[in-house]
Amino acid sequence: MAEPKLIVLEDAQSLYKHAAEEIAHFAGEAICTHAEFTLCLSGGSTPAATYKMLAERFRLSVDWKEVQFYWGDERCVPPDDDASNFAMAQRTMLSHLGLQPQQIHRMRGELPPDDGARDYENDLRRSFGIDQGEFPRFDLMLLGLGDNVHIASLFPGSPAMGERERLAVAVEVDAPQRHRITLTPPVLNNSARIMFLVEGAGKAAAVKMALEGPRDRERYPAQIIDPPDGEVIWLLDRAAASQLSRK
Ligand code: 6PG
């Protein structure tokens, strides 16, 4: 894998804006080359401002009818729950883009977790036209970073870190909304492009461990990101990058 590309922005607002610009640019590139943009959204709170900017400032910059929206993970809650990653994206962006329902591939957190995971695997196979043993290839995978260096809902020590066949699995995590559905490492690493979006001094230690810490994927799940045929970009604000030796 090529070295990850680090882009450090002065502050959070600059980070959110730059992330929206990058996503709009990658969308245009994908739609030009293969008439579709498969975008896998991250959850949590960091991406909300970027999603809002995409719906407002970039509403006319992207041919949104050609974009297919997926999620890297979801909490096992109903889609209208405040904790739902789908609900956050729907509120900040999706509901403002005039999308067709079939463009939105949400993880069904309202189902029993394992049923939800298998339901998502079926959606991925159907939407990407892939068979058992094949993996979907997202044009762009967005990832946040937990302060314990987790990505999606792949937490330190999780059995899902060793998953090599399933596309999505149900996991139990040490965080609010304990039951979740997450994409697995082989799916994440099959992406054409993976973009981390990390903000704030509270994540500086996690960024340091992810990029410059001892190699230990079980302890630092973000280190598992190593796409054999894909680009990795870390979008950081200065505060989140503050403990890195290389900036
Ligand atoms: C989730 C996310 C998770 C998130 C990190 C960072 O469901 O919570 O997918 O991986 O990206 O925990 O969360 P914040 O952006 O809220 O710090």
Side-chain angles (χ1 to χ4, degrees), residues 41-47 72-75 83 85 143-148 150-155 177 180 197 199 203:
L41 299 175
S42 66
S45 55
T46 303
D73 73 322
E74 184 56 281
R75 293 81 179 278
N85 289 334
L143 289 177
L145 183 72
D147 55 13
N148 61 355
H150 81 256
I151 50 173
S153 283
L154 297 170
F155 279 57
Q177 301 88 34
R180 304 201 179 179
L197 184 49
E199 179 269 326
K203 298 289 179 71

PDB file of all heavy atoms in Angstrom, residues 41-47 72-75 83 85 143-148 150-155 177 180 197 199 203, ligand 1:
ATOM      1  N   LEU A  41     -20.648   6.012   4.146  1.00  0.00           N
ATOM      2  CA  LEU A  41     -20.619   7.079   5.146  1.00  0.00           C
ATOM      3  C   LEU A  41     -20.140   6.563   6.494  1.00  0.00           C
ATOM      4  O   LEU A  41     -20.388   5.404   6.862  1.00  0.00           O
ATOM      5  CB  LEU A  41     -22.019   7.670   5.319  1.00  0.00           C
ATOM      6  CG  LEU A  41     -22.638   8.311   4.067  1.00  0.00           C
ATOM      7  CD1 LEU A  41     -24.091   8.734   4.366  1.00  0.00           C
ATOM      8  CD2 LEU A  41     -21.817   9.499   3.600  1.00  0.00           C
ATOM      9  N   SER A  42     -19.467   7.438   7.235  1.00  0.00           N
ATOM     10  CA  SER A  42     -19.132   7.087   8.618  1.00  0.00           C
ATOM     11  C   SER A  42     -20.165   7.754   9.526  1.00  0.00           C
ATOM     12  O   SER A  42     -20.896   8.659   9.112  1.00  0.00           O
ATOM     13  CB  SER A  42     -17.725   7.553   8.979  1.00  0.00           C
ATOM     14  OG  SER A  42     -17.652   8.952   8.970  1.00  0.00           O
ATOM     15  N   GLY A  43     -20.192   7.272  10.756  1.00  0.00           N
ATOM     16  CA  GLY A  43     -21.184   7.777  11.705  1.00  0.00           C
ATOM     17  C   GLY A  43     -20.528   8.650  12.758  1.00  0.00           C
ATOM     18  O   GLY A  43     -19.540   9.328  12.485  1.00  0.00           O
ATOM     19  N   GLY A  44     -21.083   8.614  13.951  1.00  0.00           N
ATOM     20  CA  GLY A  44     -20.557   9.472  15.008  1.00  0.00           C
ATOM     21  C   GLY A  44     -20.942  10.921  14.740  1.00  0.00           C
ATOM     22  O   GLY A  44     -21.855  11.232  13.968  1.00  0.00           O
ATOM     23  N   SER A  45     -20.178  11.842  15.342  1.00  0.00           N
ATOM     24  CA  SER A  45     -20.536  13.265  15.256  1.00  0.00           C
ATOM     25  C   SER A  45     -19.656  14.058  14.293  1.00  0.00           C
ATOM     26  O   SER A  45     -20.096  15.033  13.688  1.00  0.00           O
ATOM     27  CB  SER A  45     -20.422  13.894  16.650  1.00  0.00           C
ATOM     28  OG  SER A  45     -19.128  13.670  17.172  1.00  0.00           O
ATOM     29  N   THR A  46     -18.409  13.620  14.101  1.00  0.00           N
ATOM     30  CA  THR A  46     -17.467  14.433  13.308  1.00  0.00           C
ATOM     31  C   THR A  46     -17.975  14.773  11.910  1.00  0.00           C
ATOM     32  O   THR A  46     -17.848  15.921  11.483  1.00  0.00           O
ATOM     33  CB  THR A  46     -16.094  13.735  13.225  1.00  0.00           C
ATOM     34  OG1 THR A  46     -15.601  13.501  14.539  1.00  0.00           O
ATOM     35  CG2 THR A  46     -15.106  14.587  12.434  1.00  0.00           C
ATOM     36  N   PRO A  47     -18.549  13.810  11.179  1.00  0.00           N
ATOM     37  CA  PRO A  47     -18.876  14.106   9.781  1.00  0.00           C
ATOM     38  C   PRO A  47     -20.113  14.987   9.595  1.00  0.00           C
ATOM     39  O   PRO A  47     -20.388  15.434   8.482  1.00  0.00           O
ATOM     40  CB  PRO A  47     -19.098  12.746   9.134  1.00  0.00           C
ATOM     41  CG  PRO A  47     -19.275  11.774  10.222  1.00  0.00           C
ATOM     42  CD  PRO A  47     -18.818  12.381  11.495  1.00  0.00           C
ATOM     43  N   GLY A  72     -20.674   2.443   6.979  1.00  0.00           N
ATOM     44  CA  GLY A  72     -19.619   1.560   7.462  1.00  0.00           C
ATOM     45  C   GLY A  72     -20.028   0.816   8.725  1.00  0.00           C
ATOM     46  O   GLY A  72     -19.559  -0.282   9.004  1.00  0.00           O
ATOM     47  N   ASP A  73     -20.929   1.451   9.478  1.00  0.00           N
ATOM     48  CA  ASP A  73     -21.451   0.781  10.677  1.00  0.00           C
ATOM     49  C   ASP A  73     -22.728   1.480  11.113  1.00  0.00           C
ATOM     50  O   ASP A  73     -23.073   2.561  10.631  1.00  0.00           O
ATOM     51  CB  ASP A  73     -20.402   0.773  11.811  1.00  0.00           C
ATOM     52  CG  ASP A  73     -20.209   2.132  12.449  1.00  0.00           C
ATOM     53  OD1 ASP A  73     -20.240   3.156  11.729  1.00  0.00           O
ATOM     54  OD2 ASP A  73     -20.024   2.169  13.671  1.00  0.00           O
ATOM     55  N   GLU A  74     -23.459   0.793  12.002  1.00  0.00           N
ATOM     56  CA  GLU A  74     -24.723   1.353  12.493  1.00  0.00           C
ATOM     57  C   GLU A  74     -24.973   0.821  13.895  1.00  0.00           C
ATOM     58  O   GLU A  74     -24.586  -0.297  14.232  1.00  0.00           O
ATOM     59  CB  GLU A  74     -25.870   0.982  11.567  1.00  0.00           C
ATOM     60  CG  GLU A  74     -27.230   1.590  11.914  1.00  0.00           C
ATOM     61  CD  GLU A  74     -27.219   3.100  12.010  1.00  0.00           C
ATOM     62  OE1 GLU A  74     -26.761   3.647  13.056  1.00  0.00           O
ATOM     63  OE2 GLU A  74     -27.661   3.747  11.053  1.00  0.00           O
ATOM     64  N   ARG A  75     -25.596   1.658  14.660  1.00  0.00           N
ATOM     65  CA  ARG A  75     -26.010   1.207  15.993  1.00  0.00           C
ATOM     66  C   ARG A  75     -27.307   0.426  15.819  1.00  0.00           C
ATOM     67  O   ARG A  75     -28.119   0.723  14.947  1.00  0.00           O
ATOM     68  CB  ARG A  75     -26.219   2.414  16.909  1.00  0.00           C
ATOM     69  CG  ARG A  75     -24.921   3.200  17.234  1.00  0.00           C
ATOM     70  CD  ARG A  75     -24.546   4.155  16.119  1.00  0.00           C
ATOM     71  NE  ARG A  75     -23.351   4.933  16.386  1.00  0.00           N
ATOM     72  CZ  ARG A  75     -23.327   6.059  17.120  1.00  0.00           C
ATOM     73  NH1 ARG A  75     -24.424   6.521  17.655  1.00  0.00           N
ATOM     74  NH2 ARG A  75     -22.188   6.708  17.330  1.00  0.00           N
ATOM     75  N   ALA A  83     -29.492   8.174  18.084  1.00  0.00           N
ATOM     76  CA  ALA A  83     -28.168   7.526  18.063  1.00  0.00           C
ATOM     77  C   ALA A  83     -27.869   6.871  16.712  1.00  0.00           C
ATOM     78  O   ALA A  83     -26.771   6.378  16.482  1.00  0.00           O
ATOM     79  CB  ALA A  83     -28.078   6.480  19.161  1.00  0.00           C
ATOM     80  N   ASN A  85     -26.785   6.283  13.001  1.00  0.00           N
ATOM     81  CA  ASN A  85     -25.911   6.936  12.016  1.00  0.00           C
ATOM     82  C   ASN A  85     -26.700   7.309  10.767  1.00  0.00           C
ATOM     83  O   ASN A  85     -26.424   8.315  10.118  1.00  0.00           O
ATOM     84  CB  ASN A  85     -24.728   6.029  11.664  1.00  0.00           C
ATOM     85  CG  ASN A  85     -23.728   5.918  12.797  1.00  0.00           C
ATOM     86  OD1 ASN A  85     -23.608   6.815  13.636  1.00  0.00           O
ATOM     87  ND2 ASN A  85     -23.026   4.805  12.869  1.00  0.00           N
ATOM     88  N   LEU A 143     -14.155   7.224   7.121  1.00  0.00           N
ATOM     89  CA  LEU A 143     -13.965   6.635   8.443  1.00  0.00           C
ATOM     90  C   LEU A 143     -13.705   7.734   9.458  1.00  0.00           C
ATOM     91  O   LEU A 143     -12.976   8.709   9.185  1.00  0.00           O
ATOM     92  CB  LEU A 143     -12.768   5.655   8.452  1.00  0.00           C
ATOM     93  CG  LEU A 143     -12.951   4.333   7.705  1.00  0.00           C
ATOM     94  CD1 LEU A 143     -11.652   3.519   7.765  1.00  0.00           C
ATOM     95  CD2 LEU A 143     -14.099   3.514   8.269  1.00  0.00           C
ATOM     96  N   GLY A 144     -14.287   7.572  10.651  1.00  0.00           N
ATOM     97  CA  GLY A 144     -13.887   8.389  11.784  1.00  0.00           C
ATOM     98  C   GLY A 144     -12.875   7.591  12.593  1.00  0.00           C
ATOM     99  O   GLY A 144     -12.486   6.483  12.210  1.00  0.00           O
ATOM    100  N   LEU A 145     -12.452   8.145  13.695  1.00  0.00           N
ATOM    101  CA  LEU A 145     -11.502   7.457  14.574  1.00  0.00           C
ATOM    102  C   LEU A 145     -11.952   7.638  16.015  1.00  0.00           C
ATOM    103  O   LEU A 145     -12.166   8.759  16.471  1.00  0.00           O
ATOM    104  CB  LEU A 145     -10.091   8.047  14.396  1.00  0.00           C
ATOM    105  CG  LEU A 145      -8.970   7.381  15.189  1.00  0.00           C
ATOM    106  CD1 LEU A 145      -8.641   6.009  14.599  1.00  0.00           C
ATOM    107  CD2 LEU A 145      -7.715   8.267  15.200  1.00  0.00           C
ATOM    108  N   GLY A 146     -12.135   6.533  16.710  1.00  0.00           N
ATOM    109  CA  GLY A 146     -12.479   6.630  18.122  1.00  0.00           C
ATOM    110  C   GLY A 146     -11.254   6.982  18.944  1.00  0.00           C
ATOM    111  O   GLY A 146     -10.109   6.766  18.493  1.00  0.00           O
ATOM    112  N   ASP A 147     -11.469   7.489  20.154  1.00  0.00           N
ATOM    113  CA  ASP A 147     -10.283   7.853  20.973  1.00  0.00           C
ATOM    114  C   ASP A 147      -9.554   6.590  21.465  1.00  0.00           C
ATOM    115  O   ASP A 147      -8.452   6.663  21.985  1.00  0.00           O
ATOM    116  CB  ASP A 147     -10.663   8.790  22.132  1.00  0.00           C
ATOM    117  CG  ASP A 147     -11.762   8.208  23.018  1.00  0.00           C
ATOM    118  OD1 ASP A 147     -12.054   6.994  22.889  1.00  0.00           O
ATOM    119  OD2 ASP A 147     -12.319   8.964  23.825  1.00  0.00           O
ATOM    120  N   ASN A 148     -10.190   5.416  21.233  1.00  0.00           N
ATOM    121  CA  ASN A 148      -9.486   4.156  21.509  1.00  0.00           C
ATOM    122  C   ASN A 148      -8.968   3.524  20.215  1.00  0.00           C
ATOM    123  O   ASN A 148      -8.687   2.344  20.156  1.00  0.00           O
ATOM    124  CB  ASN A 148     -10.429   3.176  22.233  1.00  0.00           C
ATOM    125  CG  ASN A 148     -11.637   2.842  21.378  1.00  0.00           C
ATOM    126  OD1 ASN A 148     -11.812   3.410  20.288  1.00  0.00           O
ATOM    127  ND2 ASN A 148     -12.456   1.902  21.821  1.00  0.00           N
ATOM    128  N   HIS A 150     -10.547   2.931  17.475  1.00  0.00           N
ATOM    129  CA  HIS A 150     -11.477   2.088  16.702  1.00  0.00           C
ATOM    130  C   HIS A 150     -11.867   2.787  15.418  1.00  0.00           C
ATOM    131  O   HIS A 150     -11.829   4.024  15.307  1.00  0.00           O
ATOM    132  CB  HIS A 150     -12.703   1.683  17.523  1.00  0.00           C
ATOM    133  CG  HIS A 150     -13.799   2.689  17.628  1.00  0.00           C
ATOM    134  ND1 HIS A 150     -14.027   3.444  18.757  1.00  0.00           N
ATOM    135  CD2 HIS A 150     -14.757   3.065  16.745  1.00  0.00           C
ATOM    136  CE1 HIS A 150     -15.062   4.226  18.580  1.00  0.00           C
ATOM    137  NE2 HIS A 150     -15.529   4.024  17.359  1.00  0.00           N
ATOM    138  N   ILE A 151     -12.280   1.986  14.456  1.00  0.00           N
ATOM    139  CA  ILE A 151     -12.837   2.489  13.200  1.00  0.00           C
ATOM    140  C   ILE A 151     -14.135   1.751  12.943  1.00  0.00           C
ATOM    141  O   ILE A 151     -14.271   0.582  13.326  1.00  0.00           O
ATOM    142  CB  ILE A 151     -11.871   2.264  12.002  1.00  0.00           C
ATOM    143  CG1 ILE A 151     -11.387   0.803  11.955  1.00  0.00           C
ATOM    144  CG2 ILE A 151     -10.724   3.255  12.034  1.00  0.00           C
ATOM    145  CD1 ILE A 151     -10.578   0.448  10.735  1.00  0.00           C
ATOM    146  N   ALA A 152     -15.079   2.399  12.296  1.00  0.00           N
ATOM    147  CA  ALA A 152     -16.426   1.819  12.121  1.00  0.00           C
ATOM    148  C   ALA A 152     -16.862   1.318  13.503  1.00  0.00           C
ATOM    149  O   ALA A 152     -16.779   2.071  14.474  1.00  0.00           O
ATOM    150  CB  ALA A 152     -16.409   0.752  11.034  1.00  0.00           C
ATOM    151  N   SER A 153     -17.273   0.049  13.612  1.00  0.00           N
ATOM    152  CA  SER A 153     -17.492  -0.500  14.963  1.00  0.00           C
ATOM    153  C   SER A 153     -16.545  -1.667  15.206  1.00  0.00           C
ATOM    154  O   SER A 153     -16.907  -2.700  15.781  1.00  0.00           O
ATOM    155  CB  SER A 153     -18.954  -0.903  15.159  1.00  0.00           C
ATOM    156  OG  SER A 153     -19.747   0.263  15.387  1.00  0.00           O
ATOM    157  N   LEU A 154     -15.324  -1.504  14.696  1.00  0.00           N
ATOM    158  CA  LEU A 154     -14.231  -2.467  14.944  1.00  0.00           C
ATOM    159  C   LEU A 154     -13.410  -1.923  16.107  1.00  0.00           C
ATOM    160  O   LEU A 154     -12.582  -1.026  15.943  1.00  0.00           O
ATOM    161  CB  LEU A 154     -13.383  -2.633  13.680  1.00  0.00           C
ATOM    162  CG  LEU A 154     -14.101  -3.209  12.452  1.00  0.00           C
ATOM    163  CD1 LEU A 154     -13.232  -3.089  11.211  1.00  0.00           C
ATOM    164  CD2 LEU A 154     -14.513  -4.664  12.687  1.00  0.00           C
ATOM    165  N   PHE A 155     -13.686  -2.472  17.282  1.00  0.00           N
ATOM    166  CA  PHE A 155     -13.063  -1.982  18.509  1.00  0.00           C
ATOM    167  C   PHE A 155     -11.864  -2.843  18.910  1.00  0.00           C
ATOM    168  O   PHE A 155     -11.762  -3.998  18.447  1.00  0.00           O
ATOM    169  CB  PHE A 155     -14.104  -1.988  19.640  1.00  0.00           C
ATOM    170  CG  PHE A 155     -15.023  -0.786  19.634  1.00  0.00           C
ATOM    171  CD1 PHE A 155     -15.795  -0.484  18.525  1.00  0.00           C
ATOM    172  CD2 PHE A 155     -15.116   0.042  20.755  1.00  0.00           C
ATOM    173  CE1 PHE A 155     -16.653   0.617  18.525  1.00  0.00           C
ATOM    174  CE2 PHE A 155     -15.965   1.138  20.772  1.00  0.00           C
ATOM    175  CZ  PHE A 155     -16.730   1.427  19.653  1.00  0.00           C
ATOM    176  N   GLN A 177     -24.855   2.340  23.064  1.00  0.00           N
ATOM    177  CA  GLN A 177     -25.395   1.488  22.000  1.00  0.00           C
ATOM    178  C   GLN A 177     -24.426   0.311  21.764  1.00  0.00           C
ATOM    179  O   GLN A 177     -23.687   0.250  20.773  1.00  0.00           O
ATOM    180  CB  GLN A 177     -25.621   2.249  20.676  1.00  0.00           C
ATOM    181  CG  GLN A 177     -26.563   3.413  20.768  1.00  0.00           C
ATOM    182  CD  GLN A 177     -25.855   4.703  21.167  1.00  0.00           C
ATOM    183  OE1 GLN A 177     -24.686   4.943  20.809  1.00  0.00           O
ATOM    184  NE2 GLN A 177     -26.535   5.528  21.936  1.00  0.00           N
ATOM    185  N   ARG A 180     -24.076  -3.385  17.608  1.00  0.00           N
ATOM    186  CA  ARG A 180     -23.879  -2.645  16.363  1.00  0.00           C
ATOM    187  C   ARG A 180     -23.708  -3.610  15.189  1.00  0.00           C
ATOM    188  O   ARG A 180     -23.451  -4.807  15.389  1.00  0.00           O
ATOM    189  CB  ARG A 180     -22.627  -1.762  16.471  1.00  0.00           C
ATOM    190  CG  ARG A 180     -22.691  -0.813  17.675  1.00  0.00           C
ATOM    191  CD  ARG A 180     -21.798   0.313  17.507  1.00  0.00           C
ATOM    192  NE  ARG A 180     -21.859   1.251  18.635  1.00  0.00           N
ATOM    193  CZ  ARG A 180     -21.102   2.328  18.686  1.00  0.00           C
ATOM    194  NH1 ARG A 180     -20.238   2.584  17.724  1.00  0.00           N
ATOM    195  NH2 ARG A 180     -21.184   3.173  19.688  1.00  0.00           N
ATOM    196  N   LEU A 197     -11.554  11.212   8.702  1.00  0.00           N
ATOM    197  CA  LEU A 197     -11.923  12.590   9.047  1.00  0.00           C
ATOM    198  C   LEU A 197     -11.875  12.686  10.569  1.00  0.00           C
ATOM    199  O   LEU A 197     -12.713  12.082  11.247  1.00  0.00           O
ATOM    200  CB  LEU A 197     -13.342  12.854   8.514  1.00  0.00           C
ATOM    201  CG  LEU A 197     -13.981  14.212   8.641  1.00  0.00           C
ATOM    202  CD1 LEU A 197     -13.047  15.296   8.155  1.00  0.00           C
ATOM    203  CD2 LEU A 197     -15.292  14.225   7.834  1.00  0.00           C
ATOM    204  N   GLU A 199     -11.005  15.153  14.058  1.00  0.00           N
ATOM    205  CA  GLU A 199     -10.919  16.539  14.543  1.00  0.00           C
ATOM    206  C   GLU A 199     -10.742  16.580  16.037  1.00  0.00           C
ATOM    207  O   GLU A 199     -11.302  15.771  16.773  1.00  0.00           O
ATOM    208  CB  GLU A 199     -12.242  17.246  14.152  1.00  0.00           C
ATOM    209  CG  GLU A 199     -12.384  18.672  14.581  1.00  0.00           C
ATOM    210  CD  GLU A 199     -13.045  18.810  15.966  1.00  0.00           C
ATOM    211  OE1 GLU A 199     -13.917  17.981  16.284  1.00  0.00           O
ATOM    212  OE2 GLU A 199     -12.652  19.719  16.712  1.00  0.00           O
ATOM    213  N   LYS A 203      -8.489  13.614  20.013  1.00  0.00           N
ATOM    214  CA  LYS A 203      -8.159  12.456  19.168  1.00  0.00           C
ATOM    215  C   LYS A 203      -6.650  12.400  18.845  1.00  0.00           C
ATOM    216  O   LYS A 203      -6.195  11.496  18.137  1.00  0.00           O
ATOM    217  CB  LYS A 203      -8.936  12.564  17.854  1.00  0.00           C
ATOM    218  CG  LYS A 203     -10.452  12.531  18.003  1.00  0.00           C
ATOM    219  CD  LYS A 203     -10.951  11.157  18.382  1.00  0.00           C
ATOM    220  CE  LYS A 203     -12.454  11.135  18.563  1.00  0.00           C
ATOM    221  NZ  LYS A 203     -13.190  11.269  17.284  1.00  0.00           N
TER     222      LYS A 203
HETATM  223  C1  6PG B   1     -19.930   5.327  15.141  1.00  0.00           C
HETATM  224  C2  6PG B   1     -18.843   5.572  14.124  1.00  0.00           C
HETATM  225  C3  6PG B   1     -17.519   5.529  14.804  1.00  0.00           C
HETATM  226  C4  6PG B   1     -17.056   6.971  14.818  1.00  0.00           C
HETATM  227  C5  6PG B   1     -15.958   7.177  15.831  1.00  0.00           C
HETATM  228  C6  6PG B   1     -15.676   8.675  15.985  1.00  0.00           C
HETATM  229  O1  6PG B   1     -20.898   4.634  14.848  1.00  0.00           O
HETATM  230  O2  6PG B   1     -19.789   5.940  16.229  1.00  0.00           O
HETATM  231  O3  6PG B   1     -18.936   4.966  13.002  1.00  0.00           O
HETATM  232  O4  6PG B   1     -16.555   4.710  14.214  1.00  0.00           O
HETATM  233  O5  6PG B   1     -16.590   7.324  13.513  1.00  0.00           O
HETATM  234  O6  6PG B   1     -16.400   6.639  17.055  1.00  0.00           O
HETATM  235  O7  6PG B   1     -16.864   9.259  16.496  1.00  0.00           O
HETATM  236  P1  6PG B   1     -16.978  10.854  16.682  1.00  0.00           P
HETATM  237  O8  6PG B   1     -16.926  11.443  15.297  1.00  0.00           O
HETATM  238  O9  6PG B   1     -18.326  11.052  17.328  1.00  0.00           O
HETATM  239  O10 6PG B   1     -15.812  11.284  17.531  1.00  0.00           O
END
